Amino acid sequence: MNQEKLVLYLEKKFNSDVKINEFKQIGKGVYGTAYLIDFNTEKENKRLVLKTMALGGFGHDNPSDIAGILLWENKSYNKLPKHIKSFDVLGMDKDENITSMGDAEEFYILMEEAKGTEYSEDITRILKNGITEQDKERTKALANYLVKIHSKKKDSPVLYRRRARDLVSHGEYIMGVLDSYPEKSFTSQEEVTNLVKEALNFWPIMKSKTHRLCQVHGDFHPFNILFTDKTDFILLDRSRGEYGEAADDVSALAINYIFWSLIKYGCFKAEFKELFDLFFKTYLENTKDEEILEIIQPFFTFRAIVIANPIFYPDSWFKEQGFKGNPKKLRRTLFNFAHTILKEKDFKLNKIGKYLECRSQYG
């Protein structure tokens, strides 16, 4: 991005002369790239983040797809408690002018810089050293946060049915993530087709539960949670809808306790099982939402195929965590877990270990 033109935009946005002290890339992933802007106005120093999304895959195939997502994020980030705030959406034309959306070819979102420690770092530490009392308190804090935001309901049967439909067919959900798998991987087209069919069986079940529509984060996983104090935290990257199904958020975090237990032990036990049980106990005691266990299966499936995807978690990542086994075998376990739970009418929290032990016709 042309920094001179960025200065002109910032001066207009903040109604002040601006001097940029630093502009650098701070992150790049499958979905896009983020840049830090450190600058001075006439009154103060500011540090903001400029993020864009990559074209191609996951439903991000046209510039208009990205524009729509960023426009939604710009509004919705500021409505969710504890989420970082957004300032604006920028459009950039072919000459790198920051311009109106109609002339833009690239799109960016301008938001607060997030300061804190990723919850994923806690998980990594637990992997090596076990859990502390603070880890338990943080798990309860995360569960109670979901209790709070999920208590905000919305009466919109049409929207809930859309969210049920999107779970299978959306570019960022089950079919889109499966389409991103490398051609040569541990799975096959036959298997992923059958997995989609199994998940689709929950579509009519969910359609009958429109009363469940509630406020959600939409991507409540350890890399989007930054702790700033003992149990206080901020959130990043709210995704896919202001309202949705509570099971989406619950499964997004809970699958990680299963995943990291598999990395450490090859099964579900010990400290990660303790945190999983504590998370669900806290959530269910405070929401009384036993119904969630009737429809959480396809959401756990979605999360399982995300963490099993070599694009998001390549073999090299497993090696960095000290995993001694074969990543393909662990991915197979996650897929078999998905096949197994999609056949269950009710998800049994005390059967996680058995779900993981089940084999499928694919291995």
Side-chain angles (χ1 to χ4, degrees):
M1 177 175 283
N2 185 302
Q3 290 193 35
E4 291 183 2
K5 294 176 180 178
L6 179 59
V7 166
L8 293 176
Y9 162 78
L10 293 172
E11 288 182 337
K12 182 176 181 181
K13 179 68 179 177
F14 294 99
N15 193 28
S16 169
D17 290 340
V18 163
K19 178 185 177 183
I20 293 182
N21 303 314
E22 187 175 28
F23 180 82
K24 66 178 182 179
Q25 181 177 309
I26 56 172
K28 186 173 184 178
V30 175
Y31 275 8
T33 305
Y35 304 89
L36 174 69
I37 313 171
D38 182 304
F39 63 98
N40 291 335
T41 67
E42 294 169 2
K43 296 181 179 179
E44 60 184 336
N45 174 258
K46 288 183 176 290
R47 291 170 63 88
L48 302 181
V49 171
L50 194 64
K51 185 184 77 172
T52 187
M53 300 184 76
L55 274 174
F58 307 104
H60 311 157
D61 305 299
N62 303 293
S64 58
D65 297 325
I66 294 173
I69 292 168
L70 297 185
L71 285 170
W72 174 83
E73 289 180 349
N74 183 52
K75 297 294 185 183
S76 66
Y77 280 9
N78 301 343
K79 296 179 181 179
L80 188 70
K82 293 186 179 292
H83 201 286
I84 60 165
K85 304 306 179 187
S86 174
F87 287 94
D88 201 1
V89 175
L90 287 64
M92 190 168 70
D93 67 17
K94 62 182 180 180
D95 297 319
E96 296 191 353
N97 295 306
I98 297 173
T99 185
S100 68
M101 299 297 280
D103 294 328
E105 296 189 359
E106 293 183 45
F107 301 91
Y108 297 81
I109 185 170
L110 184 68
M111 55 194 177
E112 288 180 323
E113 180 189 22
K115 295 182 179 180
T117 303
E118 284 184 0
Y119 188 44
S120 60
E121 294 187 22
D122 279 16
I123 302 290
T124 301
R125 175 181 46 76
I126 293 168
L127 178 75
K128 298 175 181 177
N129 303 322
I131 58 174
T132 64
E133 286 303 312
Q134 179 170 283
D135 292 318
K136 297 176 187 179
E137 292 302 313
R138 285 185 169 183
T139 294
K140 289 193 288 187
L142 294 171
N144 282 321
Y145 173 78
L146 294 184
V147 170
K148 179 180 178 180
I149 67 168
H150 293 167
S151 68
K152 184 177 180 180
K153 306 294 183 179
K154 184 178 180 68
D155 181 16
S156 179
V158 171
L159 179 56
Y160 188 83
R161 293 188 193 107
R162 173 181 174 174
R163 298 308 304 273
R165 184 172 67 245
D166 284 349
L167 173 60
V168 176
S169 62
H170 192 279
E172 292 184 0
Y173 273 119
I174 291 175
M175 292 182 73
V177 172
L178 288 172
D179 271 347
S180 73
Y181 269 62
E183 288 188 13
K184 293 182 180 180
S185 68
F186 67 95
T187 187
S188 64
Q189 185 59 55
E190 177 188 357
E191 179 176 16
V192 299
T193 299
N194 284 332
L195 197 62
V196 169
K197 290 178 180 178
E198 292 164 359
L200 197 58
N201 289 330
F202 282 82
W203 177 42
I205 298 171
M206 287 185 63
K207 283 175 65 177
S208 68
K209 299 183 183 296
T210 59
H211 59 280
R212 295 187 53 80
L213 188 66
C214 65
Q215 181 178 228
V216 292
H217 176 278
D219 207 14
F220 196 70
H221 63 69
F223 294 97
N224 284 340
I225 302 166
L226 276 66
F227 276 93
T228 57
D229 201 350
K230 291 181 179 179
T231 58
D232 199 13
F233 57 90
I234 56 175
L235 299 172
L236 308 174
D237 292 348
R238 189 182 194 189
S239 301
R240 289 181 287 274
E242 187 177 346
Y243 291 88
E245 168 52 53
D248 195 355
D249 286 339
V250 171
S251 61
L253 185 62
I255 192 70
N256 286 276
Y257 299 131
I258 297 173
F259 181 42
W260 285 86
S261 185
L262 290 173
I263 290 174
K264 184 170 184 177
Y265 299 109
C267 62
F268 184 56
K269 68 176 186 179
E271 62 266 51
F272 290 111
K273 181 179 184 301
E274 183 177 352
L275 293 177
F276 179 96
D277 291 343
L278 179 61
F279 175 70
F280 265 98
K281 180 177 184 290
T282 305
Y283 184 83
L284 293 176
E285 282 184 352
N286 286 283
T287 61
K288 313 300 181 187
D289 183 17
E290 297 293 334
E291 186 181 45
I292 197 173
L293 301 177
E294 299 175 15
I295 55 173
I296 202 169
Q297 297 92 315
F299 290 96
F300 263 128
T301 294
F302 165 56
R303 295 296 167 178
I305 65 175
V306 168
I307 59 179
N309 193 331
I311 288 181
F312 295 120
Y313 295 90
D315 288 359
S316 59
W317 181 88
F318 284 91
K319 187 176 181 179
E320 290 169 2
Q321 312 314 310
F323 181 61
K324 303 299 183 182
N326 185 341
K328 288 185 178 180
K329 184 177 179 181
L330 191 151
R331 294 182 185 118
R332 168 49 54 198
T333 298
L334 290 168
F335 262 58
N336 289 349
F337 169 75
H339 285 296
T340 301
I341 63 175
L342 288 173
K343 294 179 175 66
E344 292 280 282
K345 181 179 179 181
D346 296 304
F347 188 84
K348 304 295 185 184
L349 295 172
N350 61 356
K351 289 180 63 178
I352 303 295
K354 291 183 178 179
Y355 292 152
L356 291 167
E357 292 170 1
C358 289
R359 294 178 63 86
S360 71
Q361 68 188 83
Y362 304 99

